[in-house]
Amino acid sequence: MEGVSYQRFPRIKIREVKEDFMKFELRDTDASIANALRRIMIAEVPTIAIDLVEIEVNSTVLNDEFISHRLGLVPLTSERAMSMRFSRDCDACDGDGQCEYCSVEFYLRVKCLTDQTLDVTSKDLLSSDHTVVPVDYSDVSSGFDSNSTNKGIIIVKLRRGQELRLRAIARKGIGKDHAKWSPAATVTFMYEPEIYINEDMMETLSLQEKTELVDSSPTKVFGIDPESKQVIVVEPEAYTYDDEVLKKAEAMGKPGLVEIHAKEDSFIFTVETTGAVKASQLVLNAIEVLKQKLDAVRLSDDTVEADDQFGELGAHMRGG
């Protein structure tokens, strides 16, 4: 209808936030925006990762390609990734990808001089930029055993006389190009469930039937109040939309005893990062990338350019 606005104003409520973990609610929007935000966090928020490796000496048991691949998957702190240039767009080095604006150099020089096996780890990587270094997982607050992880991520092991010397170039990239640039370990969202219990019908059940109803749920969604002996909702978000409780109610001849609906405009997000960026920063960066994408469609004056980039979506959003 002409003049009708479908504009929404999404809201975010943070439930829990740690360095590499965040749980929040996204409300007053639909699944398209929620899924777009999830996909951007996984594949389009830029980070920094090793992209070029020049091996000088390698007498280890692993070949050059194997070591290069392992180096590429080492997460690097990427707080400055949003402000860095993509190497392909850098005019300071003509796209060579080896200047201070679009890359960071790393060096590794290790030789085993004893009979004891020597672990070469991510902490042996020396960076030319102190803000871009391998992620340190030895933090006690991370929940890992600090005694077993304070050496960093193992790259290769050396025996007496074996040596590894190399130079590596880290560049800005996104997970859509390669998984090593993805800042997310996992990003999930679920519809927030609304659970209603018909109290009048529940009164007709015996305590044993109530217990059977509660136990029919594979997750701890329901419980029995120790005082009133009534079925109560303990943890609604533990519900996995398995319909087991609904099936049990029907089998007992009590359809409608429990009703469960998904709120179509409310989502619960769980975000875990690799440590390359903080979880809170990952969400903020994803929102910024999403805004840039929407602005590119909404404000583009060049129809051909917009169609090439966004196809039918661009034409649709312009009203074409």
Side-chain angles (χ1 to χ4, degrees):
M1 183 183 298
E2 190 84 25
V4 176
S5 174
Y6 296 97
Q7 184 177 9
R8 291 187 174 189
F9 298 91
R11 296 181 294 116
I12 288 180
K13 178 182 177 181
I14 298 174
R15 292 191 176 183
E16 182 181 356
V17 60
K18 298 178 182 177
E19 287 284 315
D20 57 356
F21 176 85
M22 185 172 178
K23 192 170 188 177
F24 65 92
E25 299 172 8
L26 177 64
R27 299 180 180 274
D28 298 336
T29 188
D30 57 28
S32 64
I33 296 299
N35 196 45
L37 188 63
R38 181 189 69 87
R39 291 171 64 96
I40 288 173
M41 280 192 272
I42 293 173
E44 297 197 53
V45 171
T47 63
I48 304 168
I50 291 176
D51 194 42
L52 175 66
V53 179
E54 296 176 354
I55 305 287
E56 296 177 22
V57 177
N58 177 19
S59 56
T60 72
V61 296
L62 300 183
N63 58 45
D64 294 355
E65 292 80 7
F66 205 125
I67 291 175
S68 299
H69 184 262
R70 291 181 65 82
L71 288 170
L73 295 176
V74 172
L76 306 176
T77 53
S78 304
E79 282 81 6
R80 56 169 289 214
M82 291 289 283
S83 61
M84 282 181 65
R85 303 173 185 174
F86 285 103
S87 58
R88 60 178 178 270
D89 301 326
C90 184
D91 52 9
C93 60
D94 296 325
D96 185 45
Q98 297 190 39
C99 72
E100 60 181 314
Y101 301 105
C102 67
S103 66
V104 177
E105 285 192 31
F106 285 86
Y107 294 91
L108 189 150
R109 296 181 177 89
V110 183
K111 185 174 183 178
C112 182
L113 302 175
T114 67
D115 290 330
Q116 185 175 1
T117 300
L118 177 64
D119 293 340
V120 180
T121 72
S122 56
K123 288 198 172 184
D124 292 313
L125 285 167
L126 304 178
S127 173
S128 63
D129 185 340
H130 70 278
T131 65
V132 181
V133 295
V135 174
D136 185 2
Y137 293 104
S138 62
D139 184 7
V140 177
S141 63
S142 66
F144 293 100
D145 182 1
S146 59
N147 292 327
S148 63
T149 59
N150 57 9
K151 295 182 180 179
I153 301 170
I154 294 179
I155 299 169
V156 68
K157 296 187 177 186
L158 305 182
R159 295 292 289 174
R160 177 186 280 274
Q162 293 181 337
E163 183 180 8
L164 180 62
R165 293 206 311 266
L166 58 86
R167 169 178 174 266
I169 302 293
R171 295 168 178 157
K172 174 181 177 179
I174 58 176
K176 184 184 289 186
D177 294 331
H178 194 286
K180 66 184 178 184
W181 279 300
S182 177
T186 180
V187 180
T188 64
F189 72 84
M190 65 173 287
Y191 288 99
E192 185 176 358
E194 286 184 305
I195 302 176
Y196 302 96
I197 297 176
N198 189 319
E199 300 293 347
D200 294 333
M201 295 180 67
M202 194 64 70
E203 288 290 344
T204 65
L205 299 182
S206 65
L207 181 59
Q208 181 179 351
E209 288 175 322
K210 292 177 181 178
T211 303
E212 291 176 358
L213 181 70
V214 169
D215 293 341
S216 67
S217 176
T219 53
K220 188 67 175 178
V221 179
F222 303 93
I224 297 180
D225 188 285
E227 296 181 0
S228 64
K229 305 301 181 182
Q230 296 295 321
V231 175
I232 58 175
V233 179
V234 177
E235 185 58 57
E237 291 170 22
Y239 184 64
T240 57
Y241 295 94
D242 47 70
D243 291 343
E244 291 298 325
V245 173
L246 304 181
K247 294 175 183 177
K248 181 63 176 178
E250 291 182 2
M252 298 168 65
K254 303 286 185 180
L257 179 63
V258 178
E259 293 184 6
I260 304 176
H261 305 285
K263 293 183 181 179
E264 296 188 357
D265 64 345
S266 182
F267 309 90
I268 301 169
F269 273 79
T270 301
V271 179
E272 295 181 31
T273 75
T274 62
V277 294
K278 295 179 180 179
S280 56
Q281 192 61 49
L282 173 58
V283 176
L284 292 175
N285 290 352
I287 293 172
E288 183 62 29
V289 172
L290 180 58
K291 286 169 60 179
Q292 292 172 4
K293 285 177 170 289
L294 293 175
D295 287 342
V297 175
R298 183 168 55 88
L299 302 176
S300 178
D301 294 326
D302 191 338
T303 303
V304 175
E305 180 181 341
D307 286 347
D308 288 343
Q309 187 173 2
F310 299 101
E312 294 181 0
L313 174 61
H316 173 72
M317 294 192 69
R318 290 193 312 278

